[in-house]
C-alpha cells in the first residue's frame, strides 16, 4: 500500500486505512505483472462454472487481490448487463448510449464489488467485526457480506436520512444499525474514530481494497464491449470512491495493453452536494466542503473522502466534473425507468450529465458513451410515489369496483 500524498509504503497485511501523514492509501501493482495478464484469460473465464470465474470481480483476480480462491468471500457479484434503448439515445442526444447496470448486483448496488474484496481482506487480517458509515447501500452490502463471512456488522447511518428500502435491507441481513444524530459526514468521522479506537475493521471506500474491487465495473464494461474502449464513461459521484476506482482501472488497463485508448470520465454530482464540482470549476484551487442536500440520498455527501484520488482520475482521463439539479436527475430517472430499466435517483445523474454535456457541445453526438447506473429502482420507493417539487407526478394508482364498467371508465373506453 502506498500513500498518495507522501509516497510512504506499507505491507498489504498491515491493519491501517490511512498513512501516518493522513494521506489516502492505494494498492500499487507491478505494471509488468499486469502486462502479463491477457484479456483472453478473462474472456475464457466467462463460460466457467466456478464462482470466482463467474464473479465479475474475481474473474480479474490477479489484478484485484492476490489470494487463494478458497479464501474468497463471494456471492458471486458483478456480471451485470449493458443496456441500450433507442428512447434513451433520444433523451441523451447521442446515438448508442449504453447503460452498465450495477443495480443488478446481489444487494442492488455496485458496493458489492468493493465489499467482496474488502470482506475477503477482513477475513485475511483476522477481523471479527466490520463497520462503515453509509447512506444505505454500503451498509446493505456490508451486512450481506458480513453475514456470509460470519463477521459482526456495525453500521453508522445518518438519522432519518436513509431510504426505507436500504434500512430494511440492512436490518434484514442482521447488522447493528447505529443512527447517528448528524449527517453522513458526521457518521463518517465517527466510524473512522471507532475503527481506530475499538479495533473494528473499516469497510468504507477509504479502505483501498474497496477501490480494487470497484475497478472491475470498468473492466467488465470494457469486456462487454470486446475491449474496444468507449469515448466517455459517465458516473454519479458522492464520496468519490468510484471516480477514483475508474481512474485506476483505466490507467492499469491502458498500461497493461488491454485497451488502446483511455475514455474520458464524466463525473456527475447533484447541485446540492457538489463540493468536487466546485473544486474542479476553479482548477482545484480549494478543496470544498458543503452542507449536502439533495433528493439523491446515495450522493448526499458534503466532504468526500477520496478527493485526492478522484482528482488524479479526472486529470489522468482528461475528465469533466459537473453538477445537475434534483429535477434534472429525476427527469433522467423517469426516462430510464420509463425505458423499462429502472434505477435509484443518484444513478440517473450519469444520464442527466451526458444530456447536459451533449447540449454544451463537450460530448459530440457521435461519441460512444457508457453511463453507469449505480443502484436498483427499488432502493428508494418513496421518491417514486411521492415525487419532488417541480416534477410532474406519475399517474396515481386507481381504486375501482370489481366490474367491467369500472375498468372501461378507468381506461377511458
Ligand atoms: C455509493 C453510491 C454512489 C456514490 O459513489 P461514490 O463512490 O461514493 O462516489 C452513487 N450511487 C449509488 C446508488 C451509490 O450507492
Ligand atoms: Zn503519507
Amino acid at each position: 500500500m502506498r500513500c498518495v500524498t507522501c509516497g510512504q509504503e506499507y505491507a498489504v497485511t498491515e491493519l491501517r486505512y490511512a498513512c501516518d501523514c493522513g494521506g489516502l492509501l492505494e494498492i500499487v501493482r507491478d505494471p509488468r505483472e499486469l502486462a502479463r495478464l491477457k484479456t483472453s484469460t478473462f474472456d475464457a473465464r466467462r463460460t466457467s462454472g466456478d464462482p470466482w470465474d463467474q464473479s465479475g470481480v474475481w474473474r480479474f483476480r490477479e489484478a484485484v487481490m492476490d489470494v487463494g480462491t478458497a479464501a474468497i468471500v463471494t456471492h458471486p457479484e458483478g456480471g451485470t448487463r449493458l443496456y441500450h434503448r433507442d428512447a434513451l439515445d433520444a433523451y441523451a442526444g447521442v446515438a448508442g448510449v449504453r447503460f452498465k447496470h450495477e443495480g443488478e448486483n446481489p444487494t442492488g448496488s455496485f458496493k458489492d464489488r468493493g465489499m467482496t474484496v474488502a470482506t475477503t481482506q477482513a477475513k485475511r487480517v483476522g477481523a471479527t467485526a466490520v463497520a462503515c458509515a453509509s447512506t444505505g447501500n454500503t451498509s446493505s452490502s456490508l451486512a450481506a457480506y458480513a453475514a456470509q463471512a460470519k463477521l459482526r456488522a456495525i453500521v453508522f447511518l445518518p438519522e432519518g436520512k436513509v431510504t426505507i428500502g436500504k434500512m430494511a435491507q440492512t436490518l434484514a441481513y442482521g447488522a447493528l444499525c447505529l443512527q447517528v444524530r448528524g449527517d453522513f459526514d458526521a457518521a463518517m468521522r465517527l466510524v473512522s474514530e471507532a475503527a481506530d479506537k475499538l479495533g473494528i475493521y473499516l469497510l468504507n471506500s477509504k479502505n483501498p481494497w474497496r477501490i480494487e474491487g470497484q475497478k472491475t465495473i470498468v473492466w467488465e464494461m470494457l469486456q462487454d464491449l470486446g475491449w474496444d474502449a468507449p469515448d466517455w464513461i459517465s458516473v454519479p459521484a458522492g464520496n468519490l470512491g468510484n471516480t477514483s476506482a475508474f481512474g485506476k482501472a483505466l490507467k492499469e488497463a491502458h498500461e497493461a495493453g488491454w485497451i488502446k485508448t483511455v475514455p474520458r470520465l464524466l463525473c456527475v454530482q447533484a447541485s446540492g452536494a457538489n463540493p468536487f464540482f466546485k473544486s474542479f470549476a476553479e482548477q482545484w484551487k480549494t478543496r470544498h466542503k458543503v452542507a449536502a442536500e439533495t433528493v439523491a440520498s446515495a450522493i448526499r455527501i458534503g466532504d468526500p473522502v477520496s478527493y485526492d484520488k478522484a482528482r488524479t482520475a479526472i486529470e489522468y482521463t482528461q475528465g469533466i466534473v459537473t453538477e445537475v439539479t434534483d429535477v434534472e436527475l429525476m427527469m433522467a430517472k423517469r426516462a430510464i425507468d420509463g425505458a423499462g430499466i429502472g434505477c435509484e435517483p443518484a444513478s440517473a445523474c450519469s444520464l442527466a450529465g451526458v444530456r447536459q454535456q451533449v447540449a454544451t457541445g463537450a460530448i459530440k453526438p457521435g461519441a460512444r458513451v457508457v453511463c453507469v447506473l449505480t443502484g436498483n429502482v427499488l432502493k428508494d420507493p418513496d421518491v417514486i410515489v411521492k415525487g419532488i417539487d417541480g416534477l410532474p407526478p406519475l399517474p396515481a394508482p386507481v381504486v375501482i369496483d370489481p366490474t367491467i364498467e369500472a375498468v372501461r371508465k378507468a381506461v377511458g373506453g
Side-chain angles (χ1 to χ4, degrees), residues 56-333:
V57 173
W58 298 101
R59 189 187 305 146
F60 306 98
R61 54 190 169 271
E62 293 87 348
V64 171
M65 176 185 267
D66 299 313
V67 66
T69 47
I72 292 173
V73 182
T74 179
H75 258 71
E77 48 291 305
T80 59
R81 276 156 290 196
L82 192 67
Y83 292 96
H84 171 252
R85 294 288 182 273
D86 291 338
L88 297 177
D89 281 1
Y91 191 86
V94 268
V97 57
R98 298 285 193 281
F99 295 84
K100 182 69 173 162
H101 205 333
E102 290 299 304
E104 295 179 343
N105 272 290
T107 76
S109 85
F110 73 82
K111 300 298 196 303
D112 294 340
R113 292 198 186 244
M115 207 54 74
T116 178
V117 182
T119 308
T120 300
Q121 175 72 0
K123 293 287 276 186
R124 188 154 78 145
V125 297
T128 54
V130 289
C132 69
S134 177
T135 61
N137 280 339
T138 302
S139 61
S140 299
S141 183
L142 179 149
Y145 281 85
Q148 184 178 352
K150 301 189 179 65
L151 298 167
R152 185 165 182 217
I154 305 162
V155 304
F156 293 63
L157 308 168
E159 188 196 12
K161 299 290 184 187
V162 175
T163 70
I164 182 70
K166 298 177 189 182
M167 177 63 88
Q169 198 182 4
T170 303
L171 288 167
Y173 295 132
L176 172 65
C177 293
L178 304 178
Q179 296 212 71
V180 182
R181 290 192 193 95
D183 58 10
F184 170 84
D185 302 289
M188 187 65 232
R189 286 190 294 274
L190 185 59
V191 77
S192 296
E193 192 182 342
D196 289 342
K197 297 199 173 141
L198 308 179
I200 310 166
Y201 190 70
L202 183 71
L203 291 181
N204 276 100
S205 54
K206 198 171 156 177
N207 182 323
W209 295 108
R210 283 272 312 276
I211 305 296
E212 291 307 286
Q214 287 168 212
K215 290 187 306 190
T216 65
I217 300 171
V218 164
W219 291 346
E220 192 179 71
M221 165 205 304
L222 294 169
Q223 185 173 38
D224 294 336
L225 295 169
W227 302 100
D228 183 10
D231 301 310
W232 289 92
I233 298 174
S234 179
V235 62
N239 217 11
L240 302 175
N242 248 358
T243 305
S244 305
F246 286 22
K248 191 168 193 278
L250 290 170
K251 186 160 188 280
E252 290 177 354
H254 190 248
E255 287 176 358
W258 303 342
I259 49 172
K260 292 192 188 67
T261 57
V262 177
R264 297 177 70 182
L265 287 181
L266 175 62
C267 176
V268 189
Q269 296 209 287
S271 52
N274 64 352
F276 194 51
F277 166 70
K278 282 182 145 178
S279 297
F280 173 81
E282 51 174 49
Q283 286 83 45
W284 314 111
K285 243 188 275 151
T286 357
R287 177 170 174 174
H288 286 274
K289 288 181 194 178
V290 303
E293 192 45 81
T294 165
V295 67
S297 60
I299 51 174
R300 196 184 284 143
I301 295 173
D303 183 16
V305 164
S306 291
Y307 176 92
D308 291 325
K309 289 182 180 178
R311 178 183 162 177
T312 303
I314 294 300
E315 289 176 332
Y316 173 72
T317 64
Q318 298 174 51
I320 290 180
V321 186
T322 190
E323 60 174 355
V324 295
T325 65
D326 279 3
V327 170
E328 284 172 323
L329 70 90
M330 287 300 290
M331 292 292 284
K333 173 177 152 57

Side-chain angles (χ1 to χ4, degrees), residues 3 6 19 21:
C3 172
C6 77
C19 179
C21 83

